[in-house]
Amino acid sequence: LAEGKGVAVLEFFFPEALELDKSLLELAGHIGSQLARVAERRRAEETRQASEERIRAVIDTAGDAFVGMDAAGLVTEWNREAEAIFGWARHEAVGRPMADLVVPEDLRTAQRAGLQRFLDSGEAAILDRRLELRALHREGREFPVEVTVWATRIGSTYGFNAFVRDISERKRLEAELIRQALHDPLTNLPNRSLLLDRLAHALARAQRNGAPVTVLFLDLDRFKTVNDSLGHTAGDRLLAAVGRRLADSVRPSDTVARLGGDEFAVLLEDTPTGAALDVARRLEEALESPFSIDGHQVFARASIGVATGEGGKQTADELLRNADLAMYMAKGRETTRHASFEPGMHTAVLERLEMEADLRRALQAGEFFLHYQPVVRLADASVVGMEALIRWKRGGDVVSPAVFIPVAEETGLIVAIGQWVVSEACRQAAAWQREHALQPPLRLSVNLSARQLQDPGLVPDVEQVLNACGLDPNCLVIEITESLLMSDPDVAVQRLRHLKDLGVRLAIDDFGTGYSSLSYLRRFPVDVLKIDRSFVAALGAGPEDAALAHAIVKLGHTLKLNIVAEGIETPEQLSELRSLGCEYGQGYLFAAPLGVDAVAALLADRRTMR
């Protein structure tokens, strides 16, 4: 029938069936058309299904989460990566409100409002943009995500799709990079950049509320000696320990920063100068106790500068610089180790810098010279020794050691200056010995600084000087202060024993003003105790005033040490010291420090001060 052959046969044999044949032909054509349409739809459906399967495979294997949502806010799509990063299985998520599944509670109202605004007006703040947002995991924890959202028109309404990427690791790395950029890697404290940023914000707040902002600038004293004697690794451990102790000594809201090297700073908000000075004293006390570094007891005291500012009057850099200047001035003090900034300090610091530059030239220019103060036997006032005292002729003026020695200590120039003092004093003592044939030989005392004691080259230098000038080592007395010994007792003991092995005699200067501990005194191979002039000055005023001097004399005799009293100025003091059994002394009662010619005349006159 479909080919028309049957029609001819029917027409030949059954003419009367012509009308029926036409109807059947129309029916057959209709059926064929329907079958063709069904086949076409089947092929289209198969194509669609294949396409959807390919899309599903792509979506499920995508590296990002893919989520879909309809206009009602219900989930329509949820791939495997969405299951992984949000914790919800696909069958659990599809059909549920998107906001309840992945949007933190504090953002849900805004999310729903944004969806409705788009449906009403077409306005959208987040479509077709890459955004960083907070997302919610099934377990309730929030995490950062990167989201790209786009809308799709579906008939008269919309659908929404998004790619979502968990960026927790990226954010962690970014935070770590920022932390490294703004923190000191050794102490983990804020660095200079972060301190200045916080200081700038503090000054901006101060400009609004009028509260003072204070900066403390700290510099460790004699830190270089730790590096030189124990090594840089030990120095790093000391810096880390100092940072922890400083942080434990202030409020959690305060900022302790390491600026570099051995410099630290503390930012105090809403803290006037008076209260800041209390903090400075507390930090000084915190650093009083020794640190245990690689089995060594190490002291790390600091000089502290204090500067207070008000918002709008100083920048962060200016306030930090003012605190630095105040610290610089604090280094020259013998009592308190902190100072508050004053405008005149700028001039003082410039003068100090000029002095440093002049000191660097002074050795080559031959501007240093020595005076010598006699040390006498108190029983008969006979001269038994001399103490070498450095002087500096700067231009036409003679500068006191109290002025330039702290600068030399701070800059490290004291090592070279000290080497010159030992060499010149030993040379002069040997010359006097040869010229006057002194019997018993004259003993020469030389003061040693902290940096010299920590210098590994000290012992070889002293040995070389003694050999070069031919001075008997027993004639050289090296004087060290108590505080110098305690800056690093282990290194001090080692260095002093090496000096003792050379035959040099050792004295503790200003005894009684520092630690005065019998336990440490027994550790050091000393020969002489020198009573500080402050105790000598108190003699004659009453029995209580003589008690300390008497105790020192008795202690020295018990340890079989010689005792020398400093600063004897009156006959009453001399009489009291004699009654206490003190053997030796020096002071203006006998002689002021003398020049080389005056000493030569004194030695030629039978070495007596009567």
Side-chain angles (χ1 to χ4, degrees):
L1 289 174
E3 297 177 358
K5 294 179 180 180
V7 176
V9 173
L10 288 172
E11 189 176 5
F12 179 77
F13 289 104
F14 305 101
E16 69 278 5
L18 181 59
E19 293 298 323
L20 176 62
D21 182 56
K22 291 180 178 178
S23 297
L24 289 173
L25 183 59
E26 290 177 358
L27 176 61
H30 179 71
I31 292 172
S33 176
Q34 290 296 324
L35 289 174
R37 282 195 292 271
V38 169
E40 183 180 351
R41 284 197 300 271
R42 182 176 297 169
R43 286 193 299 271
E45 180 66 20
E46 290 173 351
T47 301
R48 185 186 64 79
Q49 289 180 354
S51 177
E52 287 184 354
E53 288 174 0
R54 287 194 299 271
I55 293 173
R56 171 59 56 190
V58 170
I59 290 174
D60 280 342
T61 57
D64 294 339
F66 180 81
V67 297
M69 181 183 73
D70 62 17
L74 304 179
V75 175
T76 58
E77 291 292 344
W78 195 263
N79 70 348
R80 292 173 185 171
E81 187 63 20
E83 292 180 331
I85 72 170
F86 292 113
W88 297 97
R90 185 174 190 278
H91 71 273
E92 295 175 309
V94 172
R96 294 186 61 180
M98 177 79 75
D100 294 346
L101 296 179
V102 302
V103 179
E105 188 171 354
D106 62 317
L107 300 178
R108 290 174 187 173
T109 300
Q111 187 265 350
R112 292 189 176 103
L115 173 61
Q116 191 60 50
R117 183 170 58 252
F118 175 77
L119 295 175
D120 292 341
S121 64
E123 295 180 5
I126 68 170
L127 291 183
D128 302 318
R129 296 172 55 195
R130 183 175 295 178
L131 304 171
E132 291 184 3
L133 302 171
R134 287 183 290 123
L136 184 68
H137 191 272
R138 180 175 186 165
E139 296 175 352
R141 60 179 173 83
E142 295 184 10
F143 61 99
V145 293
E146 186 179 80
V147 180
T148 303
V149 183
W150 68 96
T152 304
R153 187 81 182 190
I154 304 175
S156 60
T157 186
Y158 286 93
F160 302 91
N161 298 307
F163 278 116
V164 184
R165 176 175 297 176
D166 183 350
I167 57 173
S168 299
E169 180 63 14
R170 191 180 81 193
K171 285 296 184 182
R172 186 192 68 78
L173 292 175
E174 288 176 357
E176 178 61 20
L177 289 174
I178 292 174
R179 191 198 67 79
Q180 291 179 7
L182 298 176
H183 287 77
D184 169 53
L186 179 61
T187 62
N188 204 33
L189 294 173
N191 61 14
R192 180 184 291 269
S193 296
L194 182 54
L195 174 73
L196 288 173
D197 180 71
R198 292 184 179 178
L199 181 52
H201 283 86
L203 290 171
R205 287 190 292 272
Q207 190 171 10
R208 294 191 299 269
N209 58 31
V213 177
T214 302
V215 174
L216 277 60
F217 195 110
L218 294 84
D219 182 87
L220 300 186
D221 299 332
R222 298 191 295 272
F223 175 72
K224 185 178 184 298
T225 61
V226 177
N227 277 340
D228 292 343
S229 57
L230 299 181
H232 289 276
T233 300
D236 288 347
R237 292 195 181 101
L238 176 61
L239 290 172
V242 167
R244 289 191 295 270
R245 195 175 288 186
L246 293 176
D248 290 341
S249 302
V250 298
R251 302 171 300 185
S253 58
D254 299 329
T255 296
V256 177
R258 181 185 174 216
L259 304 180
D262 59 350
E263 295 178 340
F264 294 83
V266 181
L267 167 60
L268 309 173
E269 291 195 59
D270 195 16
T271 306
T273 301
L277 291 176
D278 292 337
V279 175
R281 283 186 283 269
R282 189 163 68 244
L283 295 179
E284 287 180 355
E285 294 171 0
L287 296 178
E288 281 292 326
S289 301
F291 294 84
S292 179
I293 306 295
D294 294 345
H296 298 276
Q297 295 295 306
V298 180
F299 287 82
R301 298 183 179 88
S303 298
I304 305 175
V306 182
T308 301
E310 300 176 0
K313 294 186 178 180
Q314 297 95 4
T315 66
D317 284 313
E318 289 170 344
L319 190 58
L320 186 62
R321 185 173 65 248
N322 290 345
D324 187 7
L325 289 174
M327 179 279 299
Y328 199 68
M329 300 307 297
K331 278 191 174 295
R333 297 187 173 182
E334 296 182 358
T335 52
T336 58
R337 303 297 292 172
H338 63 268
S340 295
F341 172 76
E342 298 173 2
M345 286 182 175
H346 285 285
T347 302
V349 168
L350 288 176
E351 292 175 352
R352 195 177 176 99
L353 290 174
E354 290 177 2
M355 177 174 290
E356 178 185 340
D358 289 345
L359 273 175
R360 294 185 182 279
R361 295 189 295 267
L363 271 178
Q364 294 180 346
E367 295 177 358
F368 293 116
F369 62 97
L370 297 180
H371 276 177
Y372 300 87
Q373 186 169 41
V375 178
V376 304
R377 181 181 289 107
L378 297 186
D380 58 8
S382 60
V383 177
V384 297
M386 293 284 173
E387 180 179 1
L389 302 169
I390 190 171
R391 300 291 186 265
W392 177 24
K393 190 172 183 180
R394 185 188 186 195
D397 301 321
V398 175
V399 183
S400 167
V403 174
F404 70 84
I405 289 297
V407 179
E409 278 273 9
E410 179 187 343
T411 59
L413 294 170
I414 193 64
V415 174
I417 294 173
Q419 289 171 343
W420 177 85
V421 171
V422 172
S423 177
E424 176 64 17
C426 289
R427 184 198 63 77
Q428 186 62 67
W432 285 329
Q433 188 67 34
R434 290 191 299 269
E435 182 179 348
H436 299 284
L438 301 173
Q439 290 297 330
L442 188 74
R443 287 203 167 109
L444 180 78
S445 298
V446 176
N447 292 283
L448 208 65
S449 74
R451 291 217 174 180
Q452 285 177 276
L453 185 62
Q454 299 290 346
D455 180 22
L458 171 66
V459 178
D461 287 344
V462 172
E463 184 177 21
Q464 189 274 330
V465 166
L466 291 172
N467 291 335
C469 66
L471 183 68
D472 182 352
N474 194 51
C475 292
L476 177 60
V477 182
I478 290 182
E479 298 186 4
I480 310 103
T481 63
E482 289 182 88
S483 58
L484 185 154
L485 291 174
M486 294 309 294
S487 64
D488 189 346
D490 296 318
V491 172
V493 167
Q494 181 185 45
R495 201 79 78 227
L496 294 180
R497 284 180 177 164
H498 288 162
L499 287 171
K500 192 70 174 174
D501 291 340
L502 296 180
V504 172
R505 290 170 60 82
L506 303 172
I508 295 183
D509 196 11
D510 300 335
F511 188 78
T513 61
Y515 294 88
S516 305
S517 167
L518 180 60
S519 61
Y520 90 76
L521 189 59
R522 293 176 66 91
R523 293 182 62 194
F524 298 111
V526 298
D527 305 283
V528 180
L529 291 184
K530 300 189 73 173
I531 304 175
D532 183 67
R533 64 184 64 249
S534 61
F535 301 132
V536 173
L539 293 175
E544 296 85 0
D545 299 298
L548 281 173
H550 179 69
I552 294 172
V553 172
K554 187 173 182 180
L555 173 63
H557 288 164
T558 300
L559 297 177
K560 296 181 173 54
L561 305 176
N562 294 135
I563 309 298
V564 178
E566 297 182 289
I568 303 173
E569 296 184 356
T570 67
E572 291 78 15
Q573 293 168 354
L574 174 61
S575 176
E576 189 77 22
L577 287 166
R578 283 173 173 168
S579 67
L580 293 176
C582 182
E583 303 144 297
Y584 305 100
Q586 62 187 111
Y588 278 77
L589 179 64
F590 307 109
L594 305 172
V596 173
D597 293 339
V599 173
L602 174 64
L603 296 178
D605 191 23
R606 295 184 296 178
R607 300 170 57 175
T608 180
M609 301 303 301
R610 289 180 176 175

